[in-house]
Amino acid sequence: MSLEPSLTISGLQVCFDTPAGKVRALDDVSFSVGQGEIVAIVGESGSGKSVTALSILKLIDMPPGRFEGGEIRLADHDILSMSEHELVKIRGSAAAMLFQNPRGSLDPSFTIQSTIEETLARHQPELSSTDVANFVEQCLRQVGFHDWQRVAASYPHQLSGGMCQRVAMAVALACKPRLLIADEPTTALDVGVQAKVLYQLRMLNREQGLPIILITHDFGVVRAIGQRVIVMYAGQIQEEGSVDEVLKKPMHPYTQALIRSVPEGAVSGEVLYQIPGTPPDLIDPPPACRFADRCEAVMSVCRRVAPQVTTVAEGRRVRCHLYEQPETANEMESVQ
Ligand SMILES: Nc1ncnc2c1ncn2[C@@H]1O[C@H](COP(=O)(O)OP(=O)(O)OP(=O)(O)O)[C@@H](O)[C@H]1O
Ligand SMILES: [Mg+2]
Protein backbone atom coordinates (compact mmCIF):
# COMPACT_ATOMS: atom_id res chain seq x y z
CA MET A 1 0.00 0.00 0.00
CA SER A 2 1.40 3.38 -1.04
CA LEU A 3 1.84 5.82 1.81
CA GLU A 4 1.34 8.87 -0.39
CA PRO A 5 -1.78 10.61 0.95
CA SER A 6 -4.77 10.91 -1.33
CA LEU A 7 -5.84 14.04 0.52
CA THR A 8 -3.91 16.56 2.58
CA ILE A 9 -5.59 19.51 4.27
CA SER A 10 -3.34 22.06 5.98
CA GLY A 11 -4.33 24.95 8.22
CA LEU A 12 -7.79 25.28 6.69
CA GLN A 13 -9.80 28.34 7.80
CA VAL A 14 -13.39 28.65 6.58
CA CYS A 15 -15.87 31.30 7.63
CA PHE A 16 -19.40 32.37 6.70
CA ASP A 17 -20.33 36.04 6.55
CA THR A 18 -23.84 36.16 7.98
CA PRO A 19 -26.06 39.11 8.97
CA ALA A 20 -25.35 38.20 12.62
CA GLY A 21 -21.58 38.28 12.08
CA LYS A 22 -18.68 36.16 10.87
CA VAL A 23 -19.14 32.47 11.70
CA ARG A 24 -15.67 30.91 12.12
CA ALA A 25 -16.73 27.45 11.00
CA LEU A 26 -13.27 25.91 10.58
CA ASP A 27 -10.11 27.03 12.33
CA ASP A 28 -6.71 25.51 11.60
CA VAL A 29 -7.99 22.16 10.34
CA SER A 30 -5.16 19.89 9.18
CA PHE A 31 -5.23 16.18 8.41
CA SER A 32 -4.49 13.73 5.67
CA VAL A 33 -6.07 10.57 4.32
CA GLY A 34 -3.72 7.85 3.11
CA GLN A 35 -4.34 5.48 0.21
CA GLY A 36 -6.73 2.74 1.20
CA GLU A 37 -7.56 4.29 4.56
CA ILE A 38 -10.94 4.80 6.25
CA VAL A 39 -10.86 7.97 8.33
CA ALA A 40 -13.85 8.74 10.52
CA ILE A 41 -14.66 12.33 11.51
CA VAL A 42 -16.75 12.54 14.63
CA GLY A 43 -18.12 15.44 16.69
CA GLU A 44 -21.27 17.12 17.97
CA SER A 45 -23.68 18.95 15.72
CA GLY A 46 -22.18 22.18 14.39
CA SER A 47 -18.56 21.09 14.99
CA GLY A 48 -17.62 21.57 11.33
CA LYS A 49 -17.77 18.02 9.96
CA SER A 50 -19.89 18.84 6.90
CA VAL A 51 -18.08 22.10 6.17
CA THR A 52 -14.82 20.09 6.18
CA ALA A 53 -16.32 17.52 3.78
CA LEU A 54 -17.82 20.12 1.44
CA SER A 55 -14.59 22.14 1.40
CA ILE A 56 -12.69 19.20 -0.11
CA LEU A 57 -14.54 19.74 -3.41
CA LYS A 58 -15.07 23.48 -2.81
CA LEU A 59 -18.80 22.84 -2.49
CA ILE A 60 -19.55 25.30 0.31
CA ASP A 61 -21.91 28.16 -0.59
CA MET A 62 -19.74 31.13 -1.58
CA PRO A 63 -20.90 33.64 -0.48
CA PRO A 64 -21.65 33.52 2.42
CA GLY A 65 -18.78 30.99 2.75
CA ARG A 66 -15.18 32.06 2.35
CA PHE A 67 -11.80 30.30 2.53
CA GLU A 68 -9.63 32.48 4.73
CA GLY A 69 -6.51 30.36 4.65
CA GLY A 70 -4.94 26.96 4.30
CA GLU A 71 -4.50 24.46 1.54
CA ILE A 72 -6.35 21.40 0.24
CA ARG A 73 -4.42 18.97 -1.93
CA LEU A 74 -6.58 16.24 -3.44
CA ALA A 75 -4.38 13.87 -5.47
CA ASP A 76 -2.43 16.36 -7.67
CA HIS A 77 -4.99 19.15 -7.38
CA ASP A 78 -4.57 22.34 -5.41
CA ILE A 79 -8.30 22.67 -4.79
CA LEU A 80 -8.49 26.20 -3.40
CA SER A 81 -6.72 27.69 -6.42
CA MET A 82 -9.00 25.95 -8.95
CA SER A 83 -11.79 27.72 -10.87
CA GLU A 84 -15.38 26.44 -10.83
CA HIS A 85 -14.90 25.36 -14.45
CA GLU A 86 -11.88 23.21 -13.50
CA LEU A 87 -13.61 21.85 -10.40
CA VAL A 88 -16.64 20.62 -12.33
CA LYS A 89 -14.33 18.33 -14.29
CA ILE A 90 -12.87 16.62 -11.24
CA ARG A 91 -15.93 16.43 -8.94
CA GLY A 92 -17.11 12.84 -8.83
CA SER A 93 -13.83 11.41 -10.12
CA ALA A 94 -11.12 12.89 -7.86
CA ALA A 95 -13.58 12.53 -4.99
CA ALA A 96 -17.26 11.64 -4.78
CA MET A 97 -19.69 12.48 -2.01
CA LEU A 98 -22.47 10.52 -0.34
CA PHE A 99 -24.98 12.52 1.66
CA GLN A 100 -27.26 11.76 4.57
CA ASN A 101 -30.42 11.81 2.47
CA PRO A 102 -29.80 9.52 -0.52
CA ARG A 103 -33.27 9.97 -1.95
CA GLY A 104 -32.57 13.69 -2.23
CA SER A 105 -29.46 13.05 -4.30
CA LEU A 106 -31.25 10.73 -6.78
CA ASP A 107 -33.47 12.25 -9.46
CA PRO A 108 -37.03 10.94 -8.82
CA SER A 109 -37.94 11.08 -12.52
CA PHE A 110 -35.20 8.68 -13.68
CA THR A 111 -34.83 4.95 -13.18
CA ILE A 112 -31.64 3.85 -11.44
CA GLN A 113 -30.41 2.46 -14.78
CA SER A 114 -30.84 5.88 -16.48
CA THR A 115 -29.19 7.68 -13.57
CA ILE A 116 -26.11 5.46 -13.70
CA GLU A 117 -26.00 5.63 -17.52
CA GLU A 118 -26.20 9.40 -17.44
CA THR A 119 -23.35 9.52 -14.89
CA LEU A 120 -21.27 7.19 -17.06
CA ALA A 121 -21.93 9.31 -20.16
CA ARG A 122 -20.51 12.33 -18.33
CA HIS A 123 -17.53 10.66 -16.70
CA GLN A 124 -16.63 7.88 -19.12
CA PRO A 125 -17.90 9.02 -22.56
CA GLU A 126 -15.57 6.55 -24.29
CA LEU A 127 -17.64 3.51 -23.13
CA SER A 128 -19.63 1.61 -25.78
CA SER A 129 -23.30 0.80 -25.13
CA THR A 130 -22.38 -2.82 -24.27
CA ASP A 131 -19.74 -1.56 -21.84
CA VAL A 132 -22.29 0.79 -20.28
CA ALA A 133 -24.77 -2.07 -19.76
CA ASN A 134 -22.05 -4.20 -18.14
CA PHE A 135 -20.92 -1.32 -16.01
CA VAL A 136 -24.42 -0.69 -14.64
CA GLU A 137 -24.51 -4.34 -13.54
CA GLN A 138 -21.02 -4.10 -12.07
CA CYS A 139 -21.79 -0.90 -10.13
CA LEU A 140 -24.96 -2.36 -8.62
CA ARG A 141 -23.34 -5.70 -7.79
CA GLN A 142 -20.44 -3.88 -6.10
CA VAL A 143 -22.84 -2.49 -3.53
CA GLY A 144 -24.41 -5.87 -2.87
CA PHE A 145 -27.42 -6.01 -5.20
CA HIS A 146 -27.70 -9.54 -6.54
CA ASP A 147 -31.14 -8.66 -7.96
CA TRP A 148 -29.53 -5.80 -9.82
CA GLN A 149 -31.97 -5.91 -12.80
CA ARG A 150 -34.93 -5.15 -10.55
CA VAL A 151 -33.07 -2.31 -8.86
CA ALA A 152 -31.89 -0.91 -12.22
CA ALA A 153 -35.47 -0.78 -13.49
CA SER A 154 -36.78 0.95 -10.34
CA TYR A 155 -37.39 4.61 -9.60
CA PRO A 156 -35.97 5.92 -6.29
CA HIS A 157 -39.42 5.97 -4.62
CA GLN A 158 -39.72 2.22 -5.25
CA LEU A 159 -36.64 1.49 -3.13
CA SER A 160 -36.12 1.63 0.63
CA GLY A 161 -33.87 4.26 2.25
CA GLY A 162 -31.05 1.76 2.70
CA MET A 163 -31.34 0.60 -0.91
CA CYS A 164 -31.28 4.24 -2.07
CA GLN A 165 -28.09 4.82 -0.10
CA ARG A 166 -26.46 1.79 -1.75
CA VAL A 167 -27.68 3.04 -5.14
CA ALA A 168 -26.16 6.46 -4.36
CA MET A 169 -22.92 4.58 -3.63
CA ALA A 170 -23.22 2.76 -6.98
CA VAL A 171 -23.72 6.10 -8.79
CA ALA A 172 -20.67 7.50 -6.98
CA LEU A 173 -18.64 4.44 -8.01
CA ALA A 174 -19.64 4.92 -11.65
CA CYS A 175 -17.36 7.99 -11.63
CA LYS A 176 -14.45 5.80 -10.44
CA PRO A 177 -13.65 8.15 -7.57
CA ARG A 178 -10.23 8.11 -5.98
CA LEU A 179 -11.72 9.15 -2.62
CA LEU A 180 -15.21 8.66 -1.23
CA ILE A 181 -16.53 11.22 1.24
CA ALA A 182 -19.60 9.94 3.09
CA ASP A 183 -21.38 12.55 5.25
CA GLU A 184 -23.57 10.74 7.80
CA PRO A 185 -24.54 8.11 5.19
CA THR A 186 -26.37 5.94 7.71
CA THR A 187 -27.94 8.49 10.06
CA ALA A 188 -31.37 8.30 8.44
CA LEU A 189 -31.38 4.48 8.37
CA ASP A 190 -32.50 1.92 10.91
CA VAL A 191 -29.82 -0.13 12.64
CA GLY A 192 -30.11 -3.26 10.44
CA VAL A 193 -29.94 -1.29 7.21
CA GLN A 194 -27.16 0.85 8.63
CA ALA A 195 -25.06 -2.28 9.20
CA LYS A 196 -25.56 -3.32 5.58
CA VAL A 197 -24.49 0.08 4.22
CA LEU A 198 -21.43 0.13 6.49
CA TYR A 199 -20.55 -3.40 5.40
CA GLN A 200 -20.67 -2.31 1.76
CA LEU A 201 -18.43 0.67 2.46
CA ARG A 202 -15.93 -1.59 4.22
CA MET A 203 -15.98 -4.07 1.32
CA LEU A 204 -15.33 -1.28 -1.19
CA ASN A 205 -12.40 -0.18 0.90
CA ARG A 206 -10.99 -3.69 1.29
CA GLU A 207 -11.54 -4.94 -2.23
CA GLN A 208 -10.67 -1.81 -4.17
CA GLY A 209 -8.49 0.03 -1.67
CA LEU A 210 -10.86 3.00 -1.97
CA PRO A 211 -9.97 5.62 0.66
CA ILE A 212 -13.05 6.78 2.56
CA ILE A 213 -13.81 9.72 4.83
CA LEU A 214 -16.78 8.77 6.96
CA ILE A 215 -18.52 11.53 8.87
CA THR A 216 -20.66 10.51 11.80
CA HIS A 217 -21.69 11.59 15.27
CA ASP A 218 -21.94 7.95 16.31
CA PHE A 219 -19.00 6.21 17.99
CA GLY A 220 -20.68 2.87 17.22
CA VAL A 221 -20.17 3.60 13.51
CA VAL A 222 -16.58 4.69 14.16
CA ARG A 223 -15.90 1.43 15.95
CA ALA A 224 -17.57 -0.63 13.24
CA ILE A 225 -15.67 0.73 10.28
CA GLY A 226 -13.06 3.40 11.02
CA GLN A 227 -9.34 2.81 11.10
CA ARG A 228 -8.35 6.31 12.13
CA VAL A 229 -10.58 8.85 13.83
CA ILE A 230 -10.57 12.64 13.95
CA VAL A 231 -12.54 14.30 16.74
CA MET A 232 -13.85 17.80 15.96
CA TYR A 233 -15.24 20.40 18.32
CA ALA A 234 -16.26 23.98 17.51
CA GLY A 235 -14.50 24.04 14.15
CA GLN A 236 -11.20 22.57 15.30
CA ILE A 237 -9.66 19.11 15.38
CA GLN A 238 -9.20 18.25 19.04
CA GLU A 239 -7.80 14.74 18.78
CA GLU A 240 -6.67 12.26 16.15
CA GLY A 241 -5.44 8.70 16.34
CA SER A 242 -6.20 5.10 15.48
CA VAL A 243 -9.75 4.06 16.37
CA ASP A 244 -8.44 1.44 18.82
CA GLU A 245 -6.25 3.90 20.69
CA VAL A 246 -8.75 6.75 20.79
CA LEU A 247 -11.58 4.52 21.99
CA LYS A 248 -9.45 2.69 24.55
CA LYS A 249 -7.52 5.70 25.78
CA PRO A 250 -9.09 8.98 24.75
CA MET A 251 -6.76 11.84 25.66
CA HIS A 252 -8.71 15.05 25.12
CA PRO A 253 -11.29 15.76 27.84
CA TYR A 254 -13.81 16.38 25.04
CA THR A 255 -13.23 12.95 23.50
CA GLN A 256 -13.45 11.39 26.96
CA ALA A 257 -16.77 13.14 27.56
CA LEU A 258 -18.09 12.22 24.11
CA ILE A 259 -17.29 8.54 24.66
CA ARG A 260 -18.85 8.63 28.14
CA SER A 261 -22.07 9.96 26.66
CA VAL A 262 -22.46 7.03 24.22
CA PRO A 263 -25.47 4.91 25.26
CA GLU A 264 -23.67 1.64 24.44
CA GLY A 265 -22.42 -0.15 27.51
CA ALA A 266 -24.74 1.80 29.79
CA VAL A 267 -26.36 -0.24 32.54
CA SER A 268 -30.15 -0.43 32.46
CA GLY A 269 -31.68 2.38 34.51
CA GLU A 270 -28.38 4.29 34.68
CA VAL A 271 -28.69 7.98 33.86
CA LEU A 272 -26.63 8.67 30.75
CA TYR A 273 -23.76 11.10 31.05
CA GLN A 274 -24.31 14.40 29.28
CA ILE A 275 -21.56 16.87 28.49
CA PRO A 276 -22.50 19.95 30.53
CA GLY A 277 -23.28 23.18 28.66
CA THR A 278 -23.53 23.72 24.92
CA PRO A 279 -20.99 24.23 22.13
CA PRO A 280 -19.83 27.84 21.76
CA ASP A 281 -21.24 30.40 19.35
CA LEU A 282 -18.79 30.38 16.44
CA ILE A 283 -19.38 34.09 15.82
CA ASP A 284 -17.67 34.82 19.13
CA PRO A 285 -15.88 31.64 20.22
CA PRO A 286 -13.90 31.53 23.47
CA PRO A 287 -10.55 33.22 22.81
CA ALA A 288 -8.34 30.38 24.07
CA CYS A 289 -9.50 26.73 24.36
CA ARG A 290 -12.92 26.42 22.75
CA PHE A 291 -13.89 23.56 25.09
CA ALA A 292 -12.76 25.30 28.30
CA ASP A 293 -16.25 26.27 29.50
CA ARG A 294 -17.44 22.63 29.40
CA CYS A 295 -14.24 20.90 30.42
CA GLU A 296 -13.95 18.95 33.67
CA ALA A 297 -10.16 19.31 33.61
CA VAL A 298 -10.07 23.06 32.86
CA MET A 299 -7.03 24.99 34.13
CA SER A 300 -6.52 28.75 34.23
CA VAL A 301 -4.20 28.62 31.22
CA CYS A 302 -7.04 27.15 29.13
CA ARG A 303 -8.91 30.47 29.28
CA ARG A 304 -5.85 32.58 28.50
CA VAL A 305 -3.81 30.70 25.89
CA ALA A 306 -5.06 28.82 22.83
CA PRO A 307 -3.78 25.23 22.99
CA GLN A 308 -1.67 24.10 20.06
CA VAL A 309 -1.81 20.67 18.45
CA THR A 310 0.71 18.37 20.14
CA THR A 311 1.90 15.20 18.45
CA VAL A 312 2.12 12.73 21.32
CA ALA A 313 3.08 9.71 19.19
CA GLU A 314 3.11 8.86 15.51
CA GLY A 315 -0.36 9.57 14.13
CA ARG A 316 -1.63 10.61 17.57
CA ARG A 317 -2.36 14.30 17.98
CA VAL A 318 -4.24 16.26 20.58
CA ARG A 319 -5.07 19.96 21.04
CA CYS A 320 -5.02 20.36 24.83
CA HIS A 321 -2.79 22.07 27.38
CA LEU A 322 -2.68 18.85 29.41
CA TYR A 323 -0.37 17.36 26.79
CA GLU A 324 1.74 20.35 25.79
CA GLN A 325 5.40 20.40 26.78
CA PRO A 326 5.65 22.78 29.77
CA GLU A 327 8.26 24.95 27.95
CA THR A 328 5.94 25.37 24.96
CA ALA A 329 3.02 26.37 27.14
CA ASN A 330 5.17 28.90 29.03
CA GLU A 331 6.57 30.35 25.80
CA MET A 332 3.09 30.64 24.40
CA GLU A 333 1.87 32.38 27.53
CA SER A 334 4.74 34.88 27.50
CA VAL A 335 4.00 36.00 23.93
CA GLN A 336 0.25 36.50 24.48
N1 LIG B 1 -24.21 28.26 4.67
C1 LIG B 1 -23.89 28.56 5.93
N2 LIG B 1 -24.09 29.80 6.41
C2 LIG B 1 -23.76 30.13 7.68
N3 LIG B 1 -23.20 29.28 8.56
C3 LIG B 1 -22.98 28.02 8.15
C4 LIG B 1 -23.31 27.60 6.82
N4 LIG B 1 -22.97 26.28 6.69
C5 LIG B 1 -22.46 25.93 7.88
N5 LIG B 1 -22.46 26.96 8.76
C6 LIG B 1 -21.99 26.94 10.15
O1 LIG B 1 -20.76 26.26 10.22
C7 LIG B 1 -20.67 25.51 11.44
C8 LIG B 1 -20.32 24.07 11.12
O2 LIG B 1 -21.43 23.47 10.44
P1 LIG B 1 -21.41 21.96 9.90
O3 LIG B 1 -22.58 21.86 8.99
O4 LIG B 1 -20.08 21.65 9.35
O5 LIG B 1 -21.65 21.13 11.23
P2 LIG B 1 -21.69 19.54 11.40
O6 LIG B 1 -20.55 19.17 12.31
O7 LIG B 1 -21.74 18.89 10.07
O8 LIG B 1 -23.07 19.34 12.20
P3 LIG B 1 -24.22 18.21 12.04
O9 LIG B 1 -23.74 17.04 12.87
O10 LIG B 1 -25.43 18.86 12.64
O11 LIG B 1 -24.38 17.89 10.59
C9 LIG B 1 -22.01 25.68 12.15
O12 LIG B 1 -21.86 26.68 13.12
C10 LIG B 1 -22.92 26.14 11.05
O13 LIG B 1 -23.96 26.94 11.55
MG1 LIG C 1 -23.22 17.82 9.04
Side-chain angles (χ1 to χ4, degrees):
M1 190 187 296
S2 155
L3 291 177
E4 189 195 327
S6 62
L7 170 75
T8 306
I9 297 185
S10 326
L12 189 64
Q13 312 268 1
V14 176
C15 65
F16 293 92
D17 295 310
T18 70
K22 176 168 143 182
V23 178
R24 296 165 199 277
L26 296 186
D27 177 36
D28 188 26
V29 167
S30 303
F31 67 96
S32 59
V33 178
Q35 299 292 344
E37 238 194 330
I38 301 182
V39 176
I41 303 183
V42 68
E44 277 171 291
S45 184
S47 56
K49 305 180 299 294
S50 293
V51 173
T52 303
L54 294 169
S55 297
I56 295 169
L57 286 170
K58 227 175 166 183
L59 282 171
I60 61 169
D61 301 329
M62 292 194 290
R66 203 151 45 83
F67 290 96
E68 279 205 314
E71 192 183 51
I72 300 175
R73 295 209 77 93
L74 176 62
D76 326 331
H77 308 291
D78 178 358
I79 295 292
L80 297 190
S81 68
M82 290 172 77
S83 66
E84 186 57 26
H85 178 69
E86 291 169 321
L87 286 160
V88 167
K89 291 191 205 153
I90 67 151
R91 287 188 188 128
S93 53
M97 286 203 66
L98 282 183
F99 294 97
Q100 182 174 339
N101 174 8
R103 235 183 267 280
S105 57
L106 297 172
D107 191 326
S109 53
F110 285 104
T111 62
I112 304 308
Q113 170 109 18
S114 321
T115 300
I116 299 178
E117 282 176 359
E118 199 253 342
T119 308
L120 286 171
R122 259 186 295 133
H123 288 272
Q124 299 187 58
E126 70 285 358
L127 291 183
S128 69
S129 52
T130 320
D131 288 344
V132 167
N134 290 338
F135 210 86
V136 171
E137 174 180 354
Q138 190 190 324
C139 288
L140 289 171
R141 280 192 185 278
Q142 268 176 24
V143 294
F145 289 119
H146 303 298
D147 56 345
W148 67 272
Q149 290 101 328
R150 177 176 82 82
V151 176
S154 303
Y155 288 88
H157 75 271
Q158 295 172 315
L159 302 173
S160 71
M163 289 167 92
C164 281
Q165 192 56 286
R166 282 153 64 208
V167 166
M169 246 186 254
V171 175
L173 292 174
C175 308
K176 292 202 175 282
R178 275 167 287 163
L179 171 70
L180 186 66
I181 305 163
D183 190 353
E184 308 253 14
T186 58
T187 304
L189 308 175
D190 71 56
V191 182
V193 181
Q194 174 174 321
K196 200 159 192 171
V197 170
L198 291 177
Y199 172 80
Q200 289 304 333
L201 282 173
R202 207 169 44 208
M203 291 312 284
L204 288 172
N205 169 262
R206 281 203 193 142
E207 288 174 0
Q208 302 180 16
L210 181 66
I212 298 175
I213 296 179
L214 181 77
I215 292 175
T216 178
H217 55 260
D218 182 345
F219 264 108
V221 171
V222 173
R223 189 180 287 119
I225 182 173
Q227 292 155 1
R228 207 144 57 78
V229 60
I230 286 170
V231 181
M232 290 193 76
Y233 180 77
Q236 296 176 325
I237 294 180
Q238 306 298 342
E239 179 159 2
E240 179 184 337
S242 74
V243 169
D244 277 353
E245 282 176 10
V246 172
L247 286 175
K248 268 194 213 130
K249 219 171 160 234
M251 297 181 82
H252 197 291
Y254 174 62
T255 318
Q256 292 167 1
L258 206 56
I259 292 174
R260 263 176 83 189
S261 56
V262 172
E264 262 171 61
V267 179
S268 163
E270 183 188 345
V271 178
L272 275 180
Y273 175 77
Q274 279 190 339
I275 307 176
T278 51
D281 177 2
L282 293 181
I283 290 179
D284 186 22
C289 173
R290 293 187 172 187
F291 187 58
D293 290 344
R294 305 174 75 190
C295 181
E296 290 188 353
V298 66
M299 305 176 286
S300 62
V301 66
C302 307
R303 300 192 197 278
R304 292 197 312 273
V305 183
Q308 302 301 303
V309 174
T310 307
T311 302
V312 290
E314 204 188 331
R316 192 88 165 91
R317 298 188 302 154
V318 60
R319 186 190 290 271
C320 177
H321 284 302
L322 289 172
Y323 305 96
E324 277 180 12
Q325 299 298 324
E327 317 84 73
T328 324
N330 290 340
E331 274 167 34
M332 293 291 306
E333 200 154 2
S334 64
V335 297
Q336 297 288 307

